[in-house]
Amino acid sequence: MAAQTKPVLHGYFRSSCSWRVRIAFALKNIEYDQIPVNLVKDGGQQLTDQFKALNPMKQVPAVTIDGITLSQSLAIIQYIDETRPGPRLLPADPKRRAQVRMISDLIASGIQPLQNLYVIQKIEAEKVQWAQHFINRGFEALEPILKQTAGKYCVGDEISMADICLVPQVYNAQRFKVDINQFPTIKQLNQALMELEAFKVSHPSCQPDTPDDLRT
């Protein structure tokens, strides 16, 4: 049998969607190659015809894996979970699996897109207030949900796709000076998750394309 080709992640060090995929790879102990796509340099490398061929939405991430190219981080994470051994990223129990998907979608569809780079660039003068508004709005909904579903992590005591979505969103909240102390469950979960190696090695501060002044 021919050796399996390593997946290739086209992403950006500070993209929360790219970070989700890096966490999933780390949790599954999957080796992969990274091709940086700088969202700012040269007017945005994601806007080139070359990258558009990989992802017509001109967004990161895009992952080449098993002879196909996938975009949309949750689809990528679920594909990885379904095709690779290692800890489950979605619970076996249907109710818990639905809770994981609910939390993941709340973050991935209800919070992150409203404060991503493309949107913020359109409202440059008010970008911090805009981002704070939508992050706070989303966290006000997320906090009571997590109070009900959380154990050690977002849903019970096993790492899931919900945790993979939460940590990058908290990072964004901190970048935009949102007071995380308002959301004690979110804060506690994030602290617990950031103790784990998979979340540390995938952090934006230690990627191949991280600028030197942002490295830790």
Side-chain angles (χ1 to χ4, degrees):
M1 182 180 294
Q4 194 173 49
T5 304
K6 285 195 292 185
V8 178
L9 168 62
H10 302 257
Y12 181 57
F13 79 101
R14 203 155 56 185
S15 155
S16 55
C17 299
S18 299
W19 189 3
R20 293 172 195 158
V21 175
R22 295 196 302 263
I23 295 169
F25 279 145
L27 287 168
K28 290 281 194 176
N29 199 27
I30 298 170
E31 292 187 4
Y32 64 100
D33 293 325
Q34 291 198 61
I35 297 180
V37 180
N38 194 303
L39 303 185
V40 179
K41 186 178 179 182
D42 303 325
Q45 294 174 349
Q46 74 278 17
L47 304 178
T48 64
D49 289 340
Q50 182 180 8
F51 187 75
K52 184 180 176 182
L54 284 174
N55 185 354
M57 276 295 284
K58 296 175 281 188
Q59 297 173 333
V60 292
V63 171
T64 302
I65 184 170
D66 298 340
I68 61 172
T69 300
L70 298 172
S71 59
Q72 301 302 322
S73 61
L74 299 193
I76 296 167
I77 291 165
Q78 290 179 74
Y79 180 80
I80 291 168
D81 198 34
E82 292 167 358
T83 61
R84 299 303 192 270
R88 294 183 64 100
L89 304 181
L90 285 98
D93 177 72
K95 291 180 181 178
R96 287 183 178 268
R97 190 161 64 246
Q99 290 173 325
V100 166
R101 286 178 169 143
M102 173 180 66
I103 294 164
S104 300
D105 283 340
L106 192 158
I107 295 168
S109 299
I111 305 176
Q112 188 273 330
L114 293 163
Q115 42 88 125
N116 72 9
L117 179 64
Y118 180 79
V119 171
I120 292 298
Q121 286 175 332
K122 299 297 182 184
I123 50 155
E124 187 68 29
E126 301 175 357
K127 66 179 183 179
V128 174
Q129 296 92 329
W130 173 281
Q132 287 176 344
H133 170 78
F134 285 106
I135 294 170
N136 275 307
R137 178 175 179 267
F139 278 9
E140 285 167 4
L142 186 59
E143 176 73 13
I145 292 172
L146 289 173
K147 279 184 180 179
Q148 293 194 9
T149 64
K152 190 175 180 181
Y153 305 118
C154 284
V155 179
D157 295 330
E158 295 182 355
I159 299 290
S160 72
M161 185 168 67
D163 303 290
I164 291 172
C165 290
L166 180 68
V167 167
Q169 186 55 63
V170 173
Y171 174 83
N172 280 349
Q174 292 169 333
R175 282 183 59 218
F176 287 111
K177 311 300 183 187
V178 171
D179 180 10
I180 301 298
N181 292 320
Q182 304 173 80
F183 312 107
T185 309
I186 292 173
K187 180 180 178 180
Q188 182 179 348
L189 289 167
N190 183 70
Q191 288 174 337
L193 290 162
M194 281 308 305
E195 292 296 318
L196 303 177
E197 186 67 14
F199 291 80
K200 292 179 181 178
V201 300
S202 58
H203 193 276
S205 64
C206 54
Q207 299 311 305
D209 56 328
T210 304
D212 289 341
D213 60 337
L214 295 179
R215 291 186 176 277
T216 57

